[in-house]
Amino acid sequence: MKQLILLLLPILLLAQTPFILTGVKKVYPMVEINTKKVPQSYKQDLVNKLLKMTKKLHIDTTGYSTRPLVIQITTSTVGDTLVYKSSLIMGEEMRRLDDDEEIFAITYQMSDVIEPDNLKEELYESVDFLLEQFTDQYIEDNQ
C-alpha cells in the first residue's frame, strides 16, 4: 500500500483536484440556492454561467443526464460572521468494485467561501472562479 501511495503522490501533486474529468460529454446542469440570504432571482444568471461554460467545453446539456453538474449556494456562520459558500459539484451513478452495488458518487467538487461586501458581485465572482477551475482542469484532462 505504501508503494502505491508513493507511486500516485507525484500524479496527485500535479492534478488540480483529486477528480478526473476525462470523458465527460453530457451533464444535467442545475443551480441550487439553499439559503434565504441569497435571492432566488440570482438562479437564472447562475444557470446561464453554467450553460456558457459547458457550451465552451462542448459538453452536451440537452435532455436529461444521470450526471448532474450543480452550482450550490449555501450560508453558514463562522463565529459571529455570516459566510457564503459556493460549490460546483458533479455526481453520477457508479458501481462499487467489491460488491457491485449501484451508488451515487460525487465525482467532482470544488468550493469557495466568501464574506461579501457586495453580495451579487462577489458571489458571481466566486462562481466564475469555480467555473474557471473546472474549465482549466477539463481542458487539461481531455487533451
Side-chain angles (χ1 to χ4, degrees):
M1 183 66 167
K2 182 178 177 183
Q3 293 162 334
L4 179 60
I5 292 171
L6 290 174
L7 179 65
L8 292 176
L9 186 60
I11 295 168
L12 291 175
L13 291 175
L14 293 174
Q16 294 183 20
T17 69
F19 305 105
I20 299 172
L21 297 176
T22 54
V24 175
K25 301 294 182 211
K26 184 173 179 71
V27 298
Y28 186 72
M30 298 173 58
V31 172
E32 294 293 328
I33 298 176
N34 298 328
T35 175
K36 293 181 185 204
K37 303 285 185 185
V38 175
Q40 290 294 316
S41 61
Y42 291 11
K43 191 171 189 174
Q44 190 57 54
D45 287 341
L46 298 175
V47 167
N48 290 340
K49 287 177 177 293
L50 188 54
L51 291 174
K52 183 178 177 183
M53 186 259 320
T54 55
K55 182 177 182 179
K56 175 182 172 184
L57 296 174
H58 306 289
I59 298 173
D60 184 6
T61 59
T62 60
Y64 178 75
S65 171
T66 58
R67 182 183 284 149
L69 181 60
V70 181
I71 295 172
Q72 181 183 51
I73 308 296
T74 59
T75 55
S76 60
T77 305
V78 178
D80 293 333
T81 305
L82 180 67
V83 295
Y84 295 76
K85 179 179 179 184
S86 55
S87 300
L88 183 61
I89 305 166
M90 185 170 58
E92 55 195 298
E93 293 181 10
M94 310 287 284
R95 288 204 179 273
R96 286 190 190 136
L97 294 176
D98 60 348
D99 62 6
D100 204 36
E101 172 118 9
E102 192 170 290
I103 59 169
F104 186 81
I106 301 295
T107 55
Y108 180 88
Q109 183 171 11
M110 173 88 59
S111 298
D112 189 33
V113 177
I114 60 171
E115 181 188 350
D117 292 321
N118 179 328
L119 177 62
K120 186 174 186 177
E121 181 181 325
E122 292 179 51
L123 185 63
Y124 284 19
E125 286 175 3
S126 176
V127 169
D128 287 342
F129 167 74
L130 296 175
L131 294 174
E132 287 170 17
Q133 294 296 307
F134 182 92
T135 297
D136 291 347
Q137 183 174 344
Y138 184 87
I139 290 169
E140 183 179 310
D141 286 355
N142 285 282
Q143 287 181 344

